[in-house]
């Protein structure tokens, strides 16, 4: 399925039958916009890279930003991430609610790497909205959900806003009326001490500090850049990458696209195609798994054939460029998680 194909978007009042249908659509890899107490989210099965790739295509995001995994309760969240004492305290106080916690991802975290943008951390939220709660209970899996707007637009607080941006690009909108808060969740990074405020939102800083019994660190006051795209813990292969290759060198593995064979491709120690049929959405879904497989091939370097820049190609190229950049110090662990 191409990211540019237009599909008929259904809009349903969020009653029990519509929520059951939405859960089936999500379970089958579809895209469903749904209300939360903050803003409307655009949901996809967070464990399914093909569904998450379609989600990025629908939003027309130029980069694979990490997504928040929405779960029904704290117990489900703790199956995905490791909670510090501070994280436990914030979850107990504010969930369900407008708070997102960033914690280390568990080694067996079911959320796919594309949804986490290859980070060793995961953003988790338990929304309070009744429709979101019923939907998550019915799906029984984590749901990746960025705000349901096209990239660069403001977050939607009504089903009309969602349709204005995403009609023709998603399967279904559950209409639960205007969202009560109209402001995104507050994001707190609990991977260090003290926890760090990454985004102001529906829950005020003072409330969080009161619950913690001390001040939050500011994103800006830390040595770590706040933009997730810049984090050193993004997955990058240990093997060197060469981009836009016209010819494969001896000892290299080849990552290609659309069946393309650069010169001397036959000498590659291993060849993987992101999408033999040239589908950029499928390519995005395969990106992390293919990089890992080629990283394990013991090659001199991974040669990467040119990948078109249209649609999700822009985000794929952005990700590859970051993975290819020389690393000054920290080499991420081979399997990302932990
Ligand atoms: O209220 C909300 O949070 C809404 C509703 C739908 O839940 N969702 C939302 O998602 O605002 P989104 O994708 O528009 O914003 C999520 C933010 C992004 O800025 C992303 O970079 C950050 O969360 N984020 C996600 N995972 C992260 C991680 N592991 N570390 C740091 N930041 C992360
Ligand atoms: Mg957003």
């Amino acid at each position: 399925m191409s990211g540019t194909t237009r599909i008929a978007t259904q809009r349903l009042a969020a009653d029990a039958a519509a929520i059951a249908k939405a859960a089936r659509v999500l379970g089958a890899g579809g895209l469903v916009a749904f209300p939360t107490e903050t803003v409307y989210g655009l949901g996809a099965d967070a464990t399914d890279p093909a569904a998450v790739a379609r989600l990025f295509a629908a939003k027309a995001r130029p980069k694979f930003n990490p997504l928040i995994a929405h779960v029904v309760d704290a117990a489900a969240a703790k199956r995905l991430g490791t909670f510090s004492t501070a994280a436990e305290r914030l979850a107990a106080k504010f969930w369900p609610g407008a708070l997102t916690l960033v914690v280390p991802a568990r080694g067996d975290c079911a959320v796919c790497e594309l949804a986490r943008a290859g980070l060793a951390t995961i953003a988790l939220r338990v929304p309070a909205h009744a429709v979101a709660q019923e939907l998550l209970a019915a799906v029984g899996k984590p749901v990746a959900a960025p705000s349901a707007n096209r990239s660069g637009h403001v977050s939607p607080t009504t089903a009309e806003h969602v349709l204005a941006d995403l009609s023709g690009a998603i399967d279904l909108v559950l209409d639960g009326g205007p969202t009560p808060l109209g402001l995104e969740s507050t994001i707190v990074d609990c991977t260090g001490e003290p926890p760090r405020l990454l985004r102001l939102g529906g829950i005020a800083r003072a409330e969080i500090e009161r619950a913690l019994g001390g001040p939050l660190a500011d994103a800006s006051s830390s040595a770590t850049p706040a933009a997730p795209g810049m984090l050193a813990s993004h997955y990058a292969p240990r093997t060197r990458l060469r981009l836009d290759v016209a010819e494969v060198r001896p000892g290299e593995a080849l990552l290609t696209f659309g069946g393309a064979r650069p010169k001397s491709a036959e000498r590659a120690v291993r060849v993987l195609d992101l999408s033999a049929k040239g589908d950029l959405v499928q390519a995005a879904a395969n990106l992390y798994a293919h990089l890992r497989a080629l990283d394990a091939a013991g090659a001199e370097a991974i040669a990467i054939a040119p990948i078109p820049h249209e649609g999700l190609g822009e985000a794929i190229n952005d990700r590859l460029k970051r993975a290819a950049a020389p690393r000054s110090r920290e080499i991420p662990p081979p399997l990302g998680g932990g």
Side-chain angles (χ1 to χ4, degrees):
M1 191 191 310
S2 152
T4 50
T5 310
R6 285 187 69 79
I7 53 178
T9 301
Q10 258 200 310
R11 171 190 187 157
L12 296 173
D15 58 17
I19 292 170
K21 170 159 196 188
R24 286 197 300 276
V25 171
L26 285 173
L31 302 179
V32 174
F34 62 97
T36 79
E37 70 276 34
T38 59
V39 299
Y40 274 75
L42 177 58
D45 176 352
T47 69
D48 176 358
V52 174
R54 284 198 287 277
L55 189 158
F56 280 117
K59 279 193 60 103
R61 269 200 174 170
K63 291 184 180 144
F64 297 135
N65 290 334
L67 304 175
I68 299 171
H70 295 66
V71 289
V72 73
D73 56 24
K78 286 170 194 170
R79 287 196 287 275
L80 302 173
T82 306
F83 281 55
S84 64
T85 310
E88 292 272 5
R89 190 170 297 171
L90 294 178
K93 170 90 179 150
F94 297 107
W95 280 354
L99 179 70
T100 295
L101 297 176
V102 173
V103 301
R106 286 175 51 128
D108 59 353
C109 180
V111 171
C112 69
E113 280 196 288
L114 187 59
R116 292 195 277 130
L119 293 171
T121 58
I122 185 164
L124 295 165
R125 174 155 118 78
V126 177
H129 196 288
V131 172
Q133 274 286 321
E134 283 171 44
L135 180 63
L136 291 168
V139 177
K141 294 190 209 183
V143 171
S147 49
N149 50 277
R150 281 179 81 86
S151 186
H153 291 191
V154 296
S155 295
T157 58
T158 65
E160 287 77 26
H161 296 166
V162 174
L163 287 168
D165 266 21
L166 297 174
S167 184
I170 67 176
D171 296 292
L172 175 63
V173 185
L174 280 178
D175 188 350
T179 59
L181 288 173
L183 187 65
E184 296 92 340
S185 61
T186 299
I187 306 181
V188 176
D189 177 351
C190 292
T191 60
E193 270 302 321
R196 229 157 31 105
L197 185 63
L198 294 186
R199 179 175 77 182
L200 282 164
I203 295 176
R205 169 204 289 268
E207 269 190 81
I208 294 168
E209 292 183 333
R210 201 173 314 126
L212 287 173
L216 284 163
D218 280 320
S220 55
S221 74
S222 160
T224 315
M230 305 304 293
L231 292 181
S233 50
H234 262 270
Y235 175 72
R238 285 162 304 172
T239 313
R240 194 166 48 83
L241 303 191
R242 276 205 312 128
L243 304 181
D244 289 321
V245 303
E247 178 170 8
V248 176
R249 294 178 186 159
E252 286 186 332
L254 172 64
L255 182 64
T256 190
F257 173 80
R261 289 291 180 270
K263 235 168 108 188
S264 309
E266 71 286 346
R267 65 160 58 133
V269 300
R270 188 157 179 215
V271 180
L272 285 176
D273 197 326
L274 287 169
S275 170
K277 62 181 175 182
D279 178 343
L280 287 162
V281 178
Q282 184 181 44
N286 285 331
L287 180 63
Y288 286 100
H290 280 16
L291 279 176
R292 259 170 218 282
L294 293 182
D295 199 14
E300 278 306 305
I302 302 171
I304 306 198
I307 292 160
H309 282 261
E310 81 237 19
L312 281 193
E314 199 182 347
I316 294 170
N317 279 297
D318 171 78
R319 192 69 201 82
L320 287 170
K321 217 166 90 192
R322 288 173 195 283
R327 272 149 268 154
S328 44
R329 40 192 179 90
E330 188 182 323
I331 307 293
L335 287 168

